[in-house]
Amino acid sequence: MGKIKSIEYFRVLPRWLFVKITDEHDNYGWGEATLEGHSQAVEGCLDAMVQRFVGYEADNIEHLWQTAHRHSFYRGGPVLMSALAGIDIALWDLLSRRLGLPLHVLLGGAVRHKVKVYSWIGGDRPRDVEAAAKERYAQGFRAVKMNATEDVDWLDSPKALETSVERCRIVKSVGLDVGLDFHGRLHKPMAKQLAKALEPHRPLFIEEPLLSEHYEGIKQLSGLTTIPIALGERLYSRWDVKRFLHDTSIDILQPDISHCGGISEIRRIASMAEAYDVALAPHCPLGPIALAACVQVAMCTPNFTIQEMGLTIHYNTEHEGGAYDIKNYIKDARVWDVREGYLDGLKGVGLGIEVDEEEVRRVAKTANAWPPKGFVGPDGSIREW
């Protein structure tokens, strides 16, 4: 046992927010509180949590989680839950490091020895997908994800969807499975058409076919297609998730470990999903700490199915010529080597990675926050991004 001595956070390129917790005996753990486009808001929340939780017992992870969530009165949401996630992940890392065990052992032990993964191609406005798909195949991936469309109007020409179907066909011809991320960009009139057009091409899943707040529309869409429906990155707790499980409107749940309160909450969400025969495929186009935490959860979760990786995702290549990626900030980047569609399970203590603290502190001195993005239509109106 040991009381929390310090909680530090570090904004680093390309768009990540890391958390380090140290106890009074100098045991430490790392977490990730990345909330893309809203780093300053999470940092402000972390400032408040530092004042609250320095002096708490570091081993009492659940008590701290419950205190942060229930004594906040205004609960949930992306900012609070991302800040809490960073602390929660760091505390689990600290505890398992102190005990000299891989984190998944503390969570019940391994149910698999390797983890199926996919990566991204195509960018925000998907293009050049054949070359990108061949590159991913050569890197060892057997599945990828890409944005299904560019920006689309509330009701657009059906022609706006034709290239989406062609891109799906091209990527599958390379020998890859492909998930199509609608990204909440489409409204119901277009989403229904695109799901039907894609169905003969059998994508791995369609993601966020509508924004998560349109739960009644997602329920309707689920009755119109046989393609598995995935969502969850904009659901931040088990309470956000339960409506979709009760409605039986989704097939794959994609909580983000850095948005949904960390390891403690994603484990509870996974158990809820298992009871509804829903698979877990965590969202994670983020940094190496979040990915390591996801891999630890995947190794001990029966209904886990596939893990997103942000290796050279387009968001990472926008900054300084792609100088910062998930192979940065850790001492052994070989843990992210993909073979025949899988990562080897992480076997080291804690999260299974060693953070390069020197690089983290150096980059954090000058890193700017990543700004939110958006689309604007030709008439000047706001479109979903």
Side-chain angles (χ1 to χ4, degrees):
M1 301 286 283
K3 297 184 184 298
I4 295 173
K5 181 174 70 175
S6 65
I7 303 173
E8 303 172 89
Y9 59 80
F10 305 90
R11 183 197 302 169
V12 297
L13 296 174
R15 55 176 191 160
W16 304 328
L17 187 63
F18 297 162
V19 176
K20 183 185 181 186
I21 296 181
T22 306
D23 73 9
E24 60 187 338
H25 305 299
D26 291 328
N27 300 301
Y28 66 89
W30 286 90
E32 185 166 341
T34 301
L35 182 62
E36 310 94 288
H38 301 282
S39 286
Q40 298 100 319
V42 178
E43 289 165 14
C45 193
L46 283 168
D47 285 335
M49 288 184 172
V50 169
Q51 295 181 34
R52 293 179 70 184
F53 296 129
V54 167
Y56 268 56
E57 286 290 342
D59 286 359
N60 293 342
I61 301 171
E62 185 62 27
H63 181 65
L64 187 149
W65 198 100
Q66 294 288 332
T67 302
H69 185 70
R70 296 169 65 188
H71 280 186
S72 295
F73 189 77
Y74 298 103
R75 302 175 181 179
V79 175
L80 175 62
M81 297 304 280
S82 295
L84 179 53
I87 289 176
D88 181 84
I89 295 167
L91 288 173
W92 278 109
D93 186 37
L94 188 158
L95 175 60
S96 47
R97 282 179 174 278
R98 185 172 66 78
L99 296 175
L101 294 170
L103 176 53
H104 66 269
V105 173
L106 299 189
L107 299 177
V111 298
R112 56 181 53 83
H113 63 275
K114 59 182 181 178
V115 174
K116 190 184 295 184
V117 292
Y118 69 85
S119 194
W120 267 85
I121 61 171
D124 278 336
R125 296 185 181 277
R127 60 191 182 278
D128 301 328
V129 297
E130 183 173 12
K134 289 178 178 178
E135 182 178 357
R136 290 301 193 200
Y137 192 94
Q139 290 171 340
F141 290 97
R142 296 299 176 261
V144 294
K145 184 168 74 178
M146 62 182 173
N147 281 310
T149 67
E150 300 186 35
D151 56 307
V152 177
D153 203 355
W154 212 290
L155 177 64
D156 216 319
S157 168
K159 292 181 179 179
L161 307 178
E162 291 174 357
T163 56
S164 302
V165 177
E166 178 62 10
R167 284 191 294 270
C168 179
R169 186 196 64 77
I170 289 171
V171 173
K172 291 204 68 174
S173 73
V174 173
L176 294 168
D177 281 319
V178 57
L180 276 298
D181 192 352
F182 286 34
H183 216 250
R185 291 176 178 177
L186 280 72
H187 298 275
K188 192 161 60 172
M190 305 305 293
K192 290 192 295 184
Q193 294 181 65
L194 183 53
K196 184 174 182 179
L198 287 168
E199 195 161 87
H201 300 276
R202 302 175 66 192
L204 195 62
F205 55 80
I206 55 174
E207 178 175 333
E208 282 195 319
L210 299 172
L211 290 168
S212 297
E213 52 259 41
H214 300 311
Y215 53 84
E216 68 290 332
I218 292 169
K219 173 65 174 175
Q220 179 189 18
L221 188 62
S222 72
L224 300 176
T225 183
T226 61
I227 303 172
I229 292 177
L231 58 75
E233 69 189 83
R234 288 185 260 199
L235 304 176
Y236 311 112
S237 71
R238 72 200 98 147
W239 295 278
D240 291 345
V241 163
K242 68 178 181 178
R243 176 65 183 259
F244 295 94
L245 297 177
H246 180 72
D247 281 352
T248 65
S249 58
I250 61 172
D251 306 288
I252 303 160
L253 196 55
Q254 299 173 307
D256 188 305
I257 204 164
S258 288
H259 299 166
C260 75
I263 291 166
S264 296
E265 187 69 354
I266 202 171
R267 285 280 286 168
R268 290 186 278 257
I269 290 170
S271 293
M272 288 175 63
E274 184 182 11
Y276 286 86
D277 198 26
V278 170
L280 187 79
H283 178 263
C284 191
L286 306 180
I289 298 174
L291 180 57
C294 285
V295 171
Q296 293 291 339
V297 169
M299 290 179 69
C300 59
T301 301
N303 57 322
F304 167 83
T305 184
I306 195 167
Q307 177 61 54
E308 180 175 23
M309 284 182 72
L311 181 68
T312 62
I313 190 173
H314 47 285
Y315 304 123
N316 298 355
T317 59
E318 294 169 349
H319 291 271
E320 300 191 14
Y324 294 96
D325 197 58
I326 62 169
K327 292 190 175 184
N328 287 90
Y329 309 116
I330 58 175
K331 293 182 178 179
D332 185 1
R334 292 174 297 178
V335 295
W336 304 142
D337 290 347
V338 179
R339 299 176 183 86
E340 291 296 320
Y342 288 86
L343 286 175
D344 289 337
L346 295 174
K347 299 178 177 64
V349 298
L351 292 174
I353 58 172
E354 293 297 329
V355 173
D356 186 341
E357 186 169 344
E358 181 179 348
E359 184 179 22
V360 170
R361 291 185 180 275
R362 175 176 55 79
V363 175
K365 290 179 181 178
T366 58
N368 293 318
W370 190 78
K373 294 193 171 191
F375 288 140
V376 177
D379 60 355
S381 62
I382 297 296
R383 291 184 173 183
E384 298 293 347
W385 176 70

